[in-house]
Amino acid sequence: MVQAHNSKPKAIALVDGEHYLPVVKWALSSLAADYNLVGAAFLGGTEKVGSDRDLEELGIPVVHGVDIHSSLCEAVSRFSPEVAVDLSDEPVVGYRERFEMASMLLHLGVKYVGEDFTFSPPHLASIMTPALSVVGTGKRTGKTAIAGHAARVLRDRCRIAIVTMGRGGPPEPEILDGETLDLGVTELLDYADRGFHAASGCFGHAFMTRVLTIGCRRCGGGLSGGEPFFSNVLEGARIADSRGLDLVLFDGSGATAPPVRVDRQVLIIGAHQPVDYVRGYFGPFRVLRSHAVVITGCESPLASDEKVEAMVEAVTAINPRIPVFRTVFRLRPVEPVEGARVFLAVTAPPSVLPRLAAHLEEHYGCRVVGISPHLSNRPLLRQDLKAAPDYDVLLTELKAAGVDVGARSALASGRRAVFVDVEPVSADMARLDACLLGLAEEAIHAKRSPHG
């Protein structure tokens, strides 16, 4: 007689010792209608369970580790479930523990289901080309700046492309060959006049890194940020796959990662963010799936030394072996501005503007006569430019309204517009660059090795 295939999802139950075992067994029998229950993980609690022998009453194999983490990991390793169904509750498992379990299970590729929630692992597509991603824990963490720096570190060592993902990207992926394309202020304005978002991440990366850049769009990101709700990134990835590259560098968007199975990942965390963005919610998931962490904005007034140290400790508590780098950002004009009176338009927080201006004056010989932190707010930027003191050069980031409002206004008034690159600075830059090169090499080896 041929045994019928069990089409029910393979599942484990998460149980605790605060429920009487007959009640748990009753619940398990009900779950069996929808799941193929292959085992359980005991999460703790002793009020109503005296020993491991008591757990045998449940009628399925039960893993009992020393803590929640070990129980979950051992149960997933032993039973290879598709789903973990949570039958536990307070006081053994509370809000924080549930997020920790969700992060761990999603990292292990297991769906996590409770009475009123479902968290699913991201559905990631595979590509042929070795891939490295740079993702963040939120917007304005400096992720794009780190991705651009990584591209410049890697471009002389291997053939690379950047695939960007933005909330304002094009309907079809746009391809910009930064190495051969003539990109200047007037060319970018021409692109803007033709309906392109000429200050998008795609144009910014092509301009600043001079590598092949493929611009994509996305909408929505969910709680874990494991993939966007909607995107055309897979189309962009297929384009990159067809170019015979050594490596594809994926640039995430906000707190959302691209829907691609990459070989290595760098996580960018803003030091100004709450520490709970790392140690709580789905912060552990983001750390667990990464291979290096860069903490940006590690300076006062954005964050104190104590706050930065708390961030580092939160990361290493989740993964003691992951390398962590502390950085700040400084601006580098892409054209000479020595002797010029400049007006600076940026997206940086107002609290760091004096430091940025002082760096420009000290290292590039200009005089900063005015600053607007409103590059991402077009009405306020227009007001700031209209009220600006007399200046010779507009210095602006190549993002937000830097082209269609900033550069256009400067040229219309007979002034120059010069873009600034946002560069990471650290006492540990040599080690960071070596880490980026090492991750790229590991990605290439992982994809090309027969056991990768």
Side-chain angles (χ1 to χ4, degrees):
M1 179 177 175
V2 178
Q3 185 175 4
H5 174 68
N6 191 338
S7 60
K8 298 174 184 178
K10 190 178 180 182
I12 57 173
L14 311 182
V15 301
D16 65 36
E18 302 300 314
H19 291 79
Y20 279 113
L21 290 178
V23 174
V24 176
K25 191 171 182 179
W26 166 67
L28 292 174
S29 65
S30 298
L31 287 180
D34 298 312
Y35 299 99
N36 174 23
L37 285 173
V38 294
F42 185 75
L43 305 181
T46 58
E47 181 177 327
K48 299 176 178 67
V49 175
S51 67
D52 286 353
R53 179 170 294 181
D54 292 341
L55 296 173
E56 294 176 4
E57 295 181 22
L58 296 179
I60 57 175
V62 181
V63 169
H64 185 181
V66 296
D67 54 24
I68 290 175
H69 181 276
S70 62
S71 291
L72 278 182
C73 288
E74 185 180 344
V76 171
S77 175
R78 179 175 172 185
F79 302 118
S80 301
E82 302 169 65
V83 184
V85 183
D86 196 345
L87 297 179
S88 69
D89 205 344
E90 292 273 7
V92 175
V93 174
Y95 305 120
R96 183 182 294 275
E97 290 82 7
R98 280 208 165 98
F99 272 110
E100 289 174 353
M101 292 194 300
S103 287
M104 190 184 315
L105 288 165
L106 264 59
H107 174 61
L108 295 172
V110 179
K111 180 184 289 188
Y112 179 37
V113 174
E115 189 281 327
D116 59 355
F117 63 84
T118 298
F119 294 119
S120 300
H123 298 88
L124 305 178
S126 297
I127 64 171
M128 297 181 296
T129 310
L132 170 69
S133 66
V134 178
V135 302
T137 51
K139 192 174 176 67
R140 300 286 182 255
T141 57
K143 170 190 53 57
T144 298
I146 299 296
H149 177 77
R152 288 189 291 272
V153 169
L154 298 172
R155 67 187 176 190
D156 295 331
R157 305 292 187 95
C158 57
R159 295 166 299 164
I160 69 168
I162 301 176
V163 176
T164 69
M165 178 174 87
R167 284 170 269 206
E172 302 294 333
E174 58 190 7
I175 304 171
L176 300 176
D177 191 339
E179 188 174 0
T180 61
L181 198 62
D182 187 10
L183 281 180
V185 175
T186 55
E187 288 78 15
L188 288 171
L189 281 169
D190 181 60
Y191 274 109
D193 290 338
R194 288 188 281 148
F196 290 88
H197 179 19
S200 68
C202 182
F203 277 89
H205 275 313
F207 184 94
M208 295 297 178
T209 70
R210 298 297 170 174
V211 304
L212 175 68
T213 307
I214 302 167
C216 303
R217 60 165 49 174
R218 67 96 172 178
C219 187
L223 284 173
S224 75
E227 61 176 325
F229 204 156
F230 299 99
S231 82
N232 60 2
V233 173
L234 296 184
E235 299 173 46
R238 284 193 288 269
I239 293 171
D241 241 356
S242 70
R243 295 300 180 107
L245 302 166
D246 296 315
L247 183 76
V248 181
L249 179 63
F250 286 91
D251 186 4
S253 173
T256 303
V260 176
R261 192 176 307 282
V262 299
D263 302 287
R264 293 294 183 270
Q265 177 170 288
V266 180
L267 177 65
I268 313 304
I269 301 170
H272 66 283
Q273 294 181 296
V275 178
D276 269 353
Y277 276 29
V278 176
R279 67 188 176 201
Y281 310 109
F282 280 98
F285 172 64
R286 292 179 167 90
V287 174
L288 287 170
R289 70 196 304 231
S290 300
H291 302 84
V293 168
V294 179
I295 303 177
T296 59
C298 296
E299 62 181 346
S300 178
L302 294 178
S304 65
D305 291 343
E306 294 76 16
K307 172 71 177 302
V308 174
E309 189 57 38
M311 280 287 194
V312 174
E313 291 175 358
V315 171
T316 55
I318 299 164
N319 183 353
R321 294 178 300 277
I322 196 168
V324 182
F325 302 92
R326 312 174 196 213
T327 64
V328 299
F329 289 123
R330 295 293 182 262
L331 304 178
R332 176 183 63 83
V334 300
E335 297 176 21
V337 292
E338 186 174 359
R341 298 168 299 170
V342 305
F343 185 85
L344 179 63
V346 291
T347 58
S351 60
V352 302
L353 298 183
R355 198 184 299 267
L356 296 180
H359 178 82
L360 286 168
E361 292 182 339
E362 178 182 354
H363 292 271
Y364 299 100
C366 59
R367 182 161 64 93
V368 179
V369 297
I371 308 175
S372 171
H374 298 131
L375 191 61
S376 58
N377 186 319
R378 283 170 170 78
L380 290 181
L381 177 62
R382 290 188 178 97
Q383 292 179 23
D384 291 346
L385 289 170
K386 186 176 181 180
D390 195 22
Y391 64 94
D392 308 307
V393 178
L394 173 72
L395 284 182
T396 178
E397 295 176 82
L398 183 44
K399 61 170 56 175
V403 174
D404 61 321
V405 176
R408 191 183 302 280
S409 173
L411 268 60
S413 61
R415 299 175 170 104
R416 291 170 61 207
V418 173
F419 296 114
V420 292
D421 197 6
V422 181
E423 294 187 320
V425 176
S426 170
D428 218 6
M429 284 304 297
R431 194 169 70 92
L432 173 57
D433 291 352
C435 178
L436 293 171
L437 285 167
L439 291 178
E441 291 170 357
E442 290 173 11
I444 292 170
H445 177 75
K447 190 58 65 70
R448 293 179 178 174
S449 168
H451 304 292

